[in-house]
Amino acid sequence: MLGNFAYCNPTKLYFGGDSLNALNAELPKYGSNVVFIYGGGSIQKNGIYDAVVEILKKNGKNIAEISGVMPNPTLAKLYEGVEIARSHQPDLLLAVGGGSVCDYAKAVSVSVNCQEDPWEKYYLRFEEPDCKTIPVGCVLTMVGTGSEMNAGAVITNQETKQKIGHVFASEEIMPKFSILNPQFTLTLPHDQMVAGIYDIFNHICEQYFSGEDDNTSDYISEGLMRSLLHASRIANQNPQDYEARSNIMWTATWALNTLISRGKTTDWMVHMLGQAVGGYTNATHGMTLSAVSLPYYRYIMPYGLAKFKRFAIHVWNVNPEGKSDRQIAQEGLKVMEGWMNELGLAMHITQLGATEDMIEGIADVTAVLEGGYKPLQREEIIRILRESL
Ligand code: NZQ
Ligand code: ZN
């Protein structure tokens, strides 16, 4: 395990079909003002809204609502929510939804008492909050981002077409508790389910494809990937399979709650490319990742050949006999492509509304990170984006 690190994750998880009841144990820990944050209406259709309101009322809470948090929440929506939250003086922000709602709640949390513009402070200058933040609790209804147990909050500025994620350093920003009921995810449309599955897979890849050493995080990652592949194939055939969906939910949380990044430099370039495509197209997060992944991985594979070979054998069961390292690694990516097609993921950015004339602009807003096998130059980003068309 390279380097020195600390590990602390303070989020308390409640998992399972009865886990919403845990709200009764958590709510008394906070004052009476709760801001209930949710998305565009799915929780009203599937009954989760009524169940949550009943528990809030039973616990004597004064409730204000921020509704209509959209996928890829916008800066304009953040400003609106901050105003609502300021006027309600909340003791708790309760996010009920997917990654967008959970991320948004964290962004509101750090902005309510902030004297400066949150976009400038947190998303352009990447500063940490120096004001009082509001505790966040989550009830998760869409699986993928890991937002339920991390300090990430992604916001899109529609005016500048920038989609930027800030992973806060402070554990204060992590949800105080998260309720993970796999049954709540069963009403997700198939395309959202598979987008979430790919998001999970790619979170693991972003951490796995980095660093030189053969560390414990790599072995945990391979186990998580194998579990995810197994469960994804079952869920793809039968989305109502509780066992498969619950394994996917649990894997998502461990894929991005800081555990498997320990001892790794971490890459995150698929996410930087995907987020840049997302800033231009507002496409579903997991689909932006799937559309750029294979061109990116094929490009960097020679720079991390030993790891791509290991990935092929340990994750995709490629038989190495009589093959060169390069052939083994290429076969691994080929089998991965087959799995992605089987799930029905977007494999080209044109499927998401991106066009050739956007490439330069997308490249301009792609942040370059240096933890992977090959720090990219602008012309390399353009080449990968062209291959993703
Ligand atoms: O808005 P509603 O009506 O609730 O519909 C949502 C939304 O349209 C729907 N949905 C959610 N639960 C449902 C449901 N529909 C039926 N039944 C249910 N049980 O699904 C749609 C997508 O929801 P969203 O929250 O946008 O999806 P996801 O969880 O993928 O979150 C995406 C956001 O998270 C960010 C992404 O960039 C994007 O902005 N990310 C956050 C990360 C983090 N915090 O660490 C890391 C990720 O890499 C990612 O960047
Ligand atoms: Zn992601």
Side-chain angles (χ1 to χ4, degrees), residues 40-42 71 98-100 103 141-142 145 150 152 163 184 187 203 271 285:
S42 69
S100 293
D103 278 18
T141 68
M142 152 87 199
T145 64
N150 69 37
K163 182 176 186 186
F184 289 176
T187 53
H203 291 159
H271 271 67
H285 172 65

Side-chain angles (χ1 to χ4, degrees), residues 219-238:
Y219 288 88
I220 301 173
S221 293
E222 287 164 356
L224 290 172
M225 287 192 267
R226 292 177 72 91
S227 167
L228 180 66
L229 294 178
H230 173 69
S232 73
R233 291 184 170 118
I234 298 169
N236 190 36
Q237 293 300 315
N238 178 15

Side-chain angles (χ1 to χ4, degrees), residues 42-53:
S42 69
I43 65 164
Q44 278 144 331
K45 287 190 204 119
N46 58 23
I48 299 171
Y49 175 91
D50 289 341
V52 169
V53 168

